[in-house]
Amino acid sequence: MLSEHHLDAQSRWSKVKDRMESDYRYKSMESSSLREELFKQYIEKVAKNVDTEKEKEMERQARIEASLREREREVQKARSEQTKEIDREREQHKREEAIQNFKALLSDMVKHNLVRSSDVSWSDTRRSLRKDHRWESASLLDREEKEKLFNEHIEALSKKKKEHFRQLLDETLTITLTSTWKEIKKIIKEDPRCTKFSSSDRKKQKEFEEYIRDKFITAKADFRTLLKETKFITYRSKKLIQESDQHMKDIEKILQNDKRYLVLDCVPEERRKLIMAYIDDLDRRGPPPPPTASEPTRRSTK
């Protein structure tokens, strides 16, 4: 009956009992004090339920607010990271632009210096670079970075000039493995690839001699490969040569059809030593092992 009257925690017995007097359930309980006591118990229960619901609602609201605050922090953090990333990219772009501007400055000025001098130092070049208005555009780069870029640029230029100089030597058909710099410089001295390589004759000679050493090493390696490819030379060759010089003549007759043999014409004694060293090695190793015997074909039985 009490629940049907939609009572709340603020309801008072003195105000609601008149609405219930006509109800048979009210009259069924004769004791007025008992009625009031049951009313009070009911109101306490209602009040308790209301407090519980309020607590639950407050907790729910607190969770919602905490979630919103956490989401806001995440959004702020993401925005902060995004801003930092944009700043990093902007800074990186500025650095790359400064590097490109500095490299362009080096290309314009260092190249000219290299024509006049074979040795270009960073300290001397820096003084010249400072006079150019583009020096300020590289202000983001510290001294060590600029010097590093300078050294890399010089190294790249030197490498390119060395490649062009060696290309010139490759194209000079009169060069053999025994050619000297004194002989060859007369032929190539007017070529731009020679004059641009270095103004120092000693430096040119050193590079030429290194070129000849490299060619000689390659020529010997190629000739050893040719010997391995020549099936006419076997472990028996040493004995055959000891018995008659004709076998060596036959070997050389076969080899002379290959340019790897002809390139060593200028050093015949060295070439003969390579041949004999290979023949001695074959002799020490003796006959090659027999090929693995294949399984005999089984005869079908009738």
Side-chain angles (χ1 to χ4, degrees):
M1 178 186 68
L2 291 173
S3 63
E4 293 173 1
H5 285 269
H6 306 292
L7 304 175
D8 58 31
Q10 305 302 320
S11 299
R12 295 292 179 266
W13 174 245
S14 59
K15 294 182 179 181
V16 300
K17 68 179 181 178
D18 292 342
R19 289 181 291 168
M20 302 178 188
E21 286 179 349
S22 60
D23 193 298
Y24 74 94
R25 290 169 291 184
Y26 176 86
K27 294 177 180 179
S28 66
M29 186 167 294
E30 298 177 355
S31 174
S32 61
S33 61
L34 182 57
R35 290 191 202 108
E36 186 175 358
E37 181 62 29
L38 289 175
F39 170 80
K40 289 179 179 179
Q41 291 177 7
Y42 178 78
I43 292 302
E44 288 176 1
K45 184 178 179 181
V46 169
K48 187 175 181 180
N49 288 340
V50 169
D51 291 341
T52 302
E53 289 299 322
K54 284 184 178 179
E55 288 178 3
K56 290 181 178 178
E57 179 62 20
M58 290 174 65
E59 289 176 359
R60 189 176 73 84
Q61 287 297 329
R63 287 195 297 271
I64 291 173
E65 291 174 3
S67 178
L68 289 174
R69 287 194 297 271
E70 180 62 26
R71 177 58 182 161
E72 181 65 21
R73 282 195 294 269
E74 291 176 356
V75 170
Q76 291 296 336
K77 183 179 179 181
R79 287 177 181 171
S80 177
E81 290 296 328
Q82 187 178 28
T83 301
K84 289 178 181 178
E85 182 62 28
I86 291 172
D87 291 341
R88 281 194 294 268
E89 289 180 1
R90 187 181 292 115
E91 186 67 20
Q92 182 63 27
H93 176 72
K94 289 180 179 179
R95 282 184 56 77
E96 289 175 358
E97 188 175 16
I99 289 172
Q100 293 306 317
N101 289 336
F102 191 68
K103 284 183 176 180
L105 177 58
L106 289 173
S107 295
D108 292 344
M109 300 193 71
V110 177
K111 185 183 296 184
H112 176 65
N113 287 338
L114 280 175
V115 172
R116 293 185 296 136
S117 174
S118 59
D119 298 316
V120 181
S121 69
W122 165 241
S123 58
D124 292 338
T125 306
R126 182 175 57 185
R127 284 193 287 270
S128 299
L129 296 176
R130 284 181 179 276
K131 298 175 184 178
D132 193 285
H133 68 278
R134 290 171 293 178
W135 175 266
E136 293 301 323
S137 64
S139 58
L140 286 176
L141 307 177
D142 58 32
R143 185 181 64 182
E144 289 75 14
E145 288 176 302
K146 290 175 182 175
E147 185 172 0
K148 181 174 181 289
L149 289 171
F150 169 80
N151 290 332
E152 289 175 352
H153 187 75
I154 293 298
E155 184 178 350
L157 285 177
S158 299
K159 182 179 179 181
K160 188 175 181 180
K161 291 178 182 296
K162 178 178 178 178
E163 289 173 354
H164 289 170
F165 184 65
R166 288 205 169 204
Q167 182 183 42
L168 170 61
L169 297 178
D170 285 337
E171 294 172 3
T172 307
L173 302 181
T174 54
I175 293 179
T176 69
L177 297 177
T178 57
S179 296
T180 64
W181 172 241
K182 184 177 181 180
E183 297 167 349
I184 301 303
K185 71 176 181 179
K186 298 175 184 177
I187 302 171
I188 66 172
K189 64 180 180 180
E190 300 300 330
D191 193 290
R193 291 169 292 182
C194 180
T195 57
K196 288 182 179 180
F197 175 70
S198 177
S199 59
S200 168
D201 188 70
R202 182 176 295 179
K203 187 174 180 180
K204 293 175 187 176
Q205 181 177 354
K206 181 181 178 182
E207 183 59 34
F208 171 79
E209 290 172 352
E210 288 181 2
Y211 171 83
I212 292 296
R213 279 196 295 272
D214 292 343
K215 296 290 285 186
F216 196 28
I217 291 170
T218 300
K220 290 194 291 185
D222 290 344
F223 187 62
R224 290 189 184 99
T225 301
L226 172 61
L227 293 175
K228 292 177 182 178
E229 294 171 0
T230 306
K231 304 303 180 184
F232 184 74
I233 306 174
T234 68
Y235 72 97
R236 299 190 187 93
S237 293
K238 183 172 184 178
K239 183 177 180 182
L240 293 173
I241 291 172
Q242 290 172 344
E243 293 174 354
S244 170
D245 291 339
Q246 186 60 43
H247 186 63
M248 176 60 80
K249 293 178 182 178
D250 293 340
I251 290 174
E252 291 178 332
K253 187 175 181 180
I254 294 171
L255 296 176
Q256 68 186 8
N257 295 319
D258 195 292
K259 65 179 182 180
R260 291 171 289 182
Y261 175 88
L262 300 176
V263 76
L264 294 171
D265 277 348
C266 56
V267 283
E269 292 182 3
E270 181 67 24
R271 183 173 59 192
R272 178 63 71 92
K273 288 179 181 178
L274 291 171
I275 296 174
M276 289 308 303
Y278 178 67
I279 289 173
D280 287 341
D281 183 56
L282 290 179
D283 178 66
R284 282 193 299 271
R285 287 187 285 170
T292 304
S294 58
E295 185 180 358
T297 304
R298 295 181 181 177
R299 296 180 181 179
S300 59
T301 56
K302 294 183 179 180

